[in-house]
């Protein structure tokens, strides 16, 4: 849909990482978090930039969380005979079910994982009087996109929504800017 050179993919991931590390630049915040909690939170920051690699990344990431990297994964992915264990064991393990992308990391203490789908439970029903072209059907993807959009906008990073005509890009952006961002500014 929108070919992206590797340099832009790298820039995108550095923008995201910068958003996650922004709080640590605050001296008061940095002093308030223990080294143990900091390490646990940093351990949780992994990902892939292309959706087609989610399953592969999830499988390899879970393998790296093991005390010893599974032989079956070394054969499956044609890896060298020895994959070193982490210098220090991971502090916080993800739930074993689903892909790693099905979970949202919550930075509280050492952190915790929460299913994105849990957020669908609290979504209010679609109002009856809303025009059809403004209806947003909440899905796990729309919740993820909104969270990423909010994270990037709040950290003054560029955002580009790409998709086919009629997929709702304008509706998502207008909804976010007029409703979600307005609520953030009012509550602060």
């Amino acid at each position: 849909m929108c070919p992206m050179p590797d340099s832009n993919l790298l820039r995108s991931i550095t923008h995201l990482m910068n958003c996650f590390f922004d709080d640590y630049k605050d001296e008061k915040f940095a002093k308030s978090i223990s080294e143990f909690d900091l390490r646990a939170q940093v351990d949780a920051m992994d990902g892939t930039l292309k959706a087609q690699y989610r399953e592969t990344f999830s499988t390899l990431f879970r393998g790296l969380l093991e005390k010893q990297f599974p032989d079956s994964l070394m054969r499956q992915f044609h890896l060298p005979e020895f994959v070193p264990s982490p210098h220090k064991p991971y502090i916080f393990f993800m739930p074993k079910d689903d892909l790693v992308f099905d979970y949202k990391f919550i930075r509280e203490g050492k952190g915790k994982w929460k299913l994105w789908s849990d957020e669908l439970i609290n979504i209010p029903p679609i109002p009856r009087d809303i025009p059809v072209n403004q209806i947003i059907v909440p899905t796990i993807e729309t919740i993820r996109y909104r969270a990423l959009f909010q994270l990037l906008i709040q950290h003054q990073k560029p955002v580009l929504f790409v998709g086919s005509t009629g997929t709702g890009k304008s509706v998502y952006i207008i909804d976010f800017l007029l409703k979600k961002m307005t609520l953030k500014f009012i509550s602060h």
Side-chain angles (χ1 to χ4, degrees):
M1 170 80 47
C2 182
M4 195 68 59
D6 288 345
S7 60
N8 283 15
L9 291 174
L10 180 61
R11 187 69 178 144
S12 295
I13 195 69
T14 56
H15 279 313
L16 284 172
M17 294 303 290
N18 189 282
C19 292
F20 286 113
F21 288 127
D22 227 15
D23 288 339
Y24 301 107
K25 293 176 186 174
D26 177 13
E27 197 172 315
K28 186 190 275 185
F29 177 82
K31 287 181 180 178
S32 72
I33 189 167
S34 72
E35 185 177 334
F36 180 82
D37 288 350
L38 174 63
R39 207 176 113 226
Q41 289 181 16
V42 171
D43 280 352
M45 294 183 196
D46 293 316
T48 180
L49 292 174
K50 293 188 177 182
Q52 70 196 51
Y53 300 121
R54 284 182 179 178
E55 192 169 331
T56 301
F57 179 87
S58 189
T59 301
L60 287 170
F61 182 75
R62 289 187 189 282
L64 289 169
L65 292 176
E66 300 292 328
K67 288 184 181 180
Q68 185 173 357
F69 195 79
D71 289 335
S72 60
L73 292 182
M74 288 197 287
R75 287 190 299 278
Q76 180 182 348
F77 294 106
H78 309 289
L79 298 173
E81 289 185 28
F82 176 71
V83 175
S85 299
H87 295 293
K88 292 182 178 182
Y90 289 102
I91 293 170
F92 196 82
F93 292 96
M94 292 195 67
K96 296 277 185 198
D97 302 327
D98 307 308
L99 298 177
V100 296
F101 298 95
D102 294 327
Y103 294 91
K104 174 183 183 178
F105 184 72
I106 311 292
R107 281 192 325 183
E108 293 173 1
K110 69 178 181 177
K112 62 184 175 182
W113 295 100
K114 180 180 175 188
L115 283 168
W116 285 102
S117 59
D118 289 351
E119 295 194 25
L120 289 173
I121 295 167
N122 300 322
I123 302 284
I126 297 170
R128 291 179 177 260
D129 59 343
I130 191 167
V132 175
N133 65 343
Q134 293 179 10
I135 293 175
I136 297 177
V137 178
T139 65
I140 293 171
E141 289 301 318
T142 60
I143 290 171
R144 279 188 199 136
Y145 294 148
R146 186 173 288 142
L148 279 173
F149 197 59
Q150 181 173 332
L151 180 71
L152 291 165
I153 294 294
Q154 286 178 332
H155 289 89
Q156 300 171 355
K157 303 294 181 197
V159 178
L160 174 65
F161 270 6
V162 177
S164 301
T165 302
T167 56
K169 298 176 301 294
S170 298
V171 174
Y172 293 135
I173 292 168
I174 290 168
D175 178 68
F176 181 82
L177 293 175
L178 294 180
K179 296 178 185 169
K180 307 304 185 258
M181 283 304 288
T182 307
L183 292 174
K184 294 287 179 195
F185 288 122
I186 291 172
S187 66
H188 282 59

